[in-house]
Amino acid sequence: MFIKTHCPVCGNKVYHDIRLSALEHLLFEGEKQACRYVIENIKVQDSLTEEELVRNILHSLQKIIYDGIEVEILIGVLEENYGVTEACCKDLIERIQLELQMYCPDRKRLYFADPEELGSYTKKTTSNLVFDSFSVYFISF
């Protein structure tokens, strides 16, 4: 799971990939049941700057991000596939918006600012042949 911290030297955001080991203790009192967790070990697997994390995520999200993607879907993908905590998702999505030149007018969906420059991300192109009496035009939308 990734957690966000700030570098004490430069003040930049740093993401640490941590692994927790915990023991679960079940407590029974009559018909009631409660759980208590005791953390045994915390290990930092990796540390990345925000730029490195976003670059790694964007590289693997090329086929998932499309014009009009819902923010909630993107949050679910970040949490489930990358282990990013919900608190970190907002900052990462803002960074993804900047990197891909996207905007979010309704705070629910992300749209590309210039759909002609989507790069290697999903670009939906429709090609039509338009016939008239004078010539044939090839139009790409």
Side-chain angles (χ1 to χ4, degrees):
M1 135 181 31
F2 280 97
I3 60 168
K4 179 177 64 172
T5 61
H6 292 278
C7 176
V9 176
C10 64
N12 290 335
K13 294 176 189 173
V14 179
Y15 290 85
H16 300 289
D17 185 9
I18 63 169
R19 182 155 307 203
L20 296 173
S21 300
L23 288 175
E24 179 180 35
H25 297 278
L26 296 175
L27 306 172
F28 295 98
E29 292 183 17
E31 295 180 9
K32 295 182 181 180
Q33 174 184 340
C35 295
R36 182 173 61 97
Y37 296 94
V38 177
I39 296 176
E40 290 184 314
N41 189 22
I42 299 174
K43 182 179 178 184
V44 176
Q45 300 288 98
D46 196 9
S47 295
L48 301 169
T49 64
E50 186 176 38
E51 292 80 21
E52 291 171 328
L53 181 60
V54 169
R55 187 175 38 244
N56 291 342
I57 289 173
L58 286 177
H59 180 70
S60 59
L61 285 180
Q62 286 183 355
K63 294 184 173 111
I64 296 174
I65 293 181
Y66 55 90
D67 197 35
I69 188 170
E70 291 182 23
V71 173
E72 291 299 319
I73 291 175
L74 193 52
I75 288 172
V77 169
L78 291 174
E79 288 177 342
E80 177 115 1
N81 296 338
Y82 299 97
V84 176
T85 58
E86 187 174 347
C88 297
C89 284
K90 181 181 175 186
D91 289 340
L92 288 177
I93 289 175
E94 286 177 8
R95 184 67 185 209
I96 288 170
Q97 280 181 253
L98 290 173
E99 292 290 325
L100 298 180
Q101 299 178 358
M102 300 179 87
Y103 66 101
C104 189
D106 58 1
R107 305 269 191 234
K108 293 181 181 179
R109 295 180 185 273
L110 295 172
Y111 301 97
F112 288 103
D114 187 3
E116 294 299 320
E117 296 183 18
L118 301 183
S120 61
Y121 293 87
T122 306
K123 184 174 181 181
K124 297 177 182 171
T125 303
T126 307
S127 299
N128 294 320
L129 288 176
V130 178
F131 296 97
D132 65 7
S133 57
F134 300 107
S135 59
V136 177
Y137 298 97
F138 181 74
I139 299 175
S140 181
F141 298 101

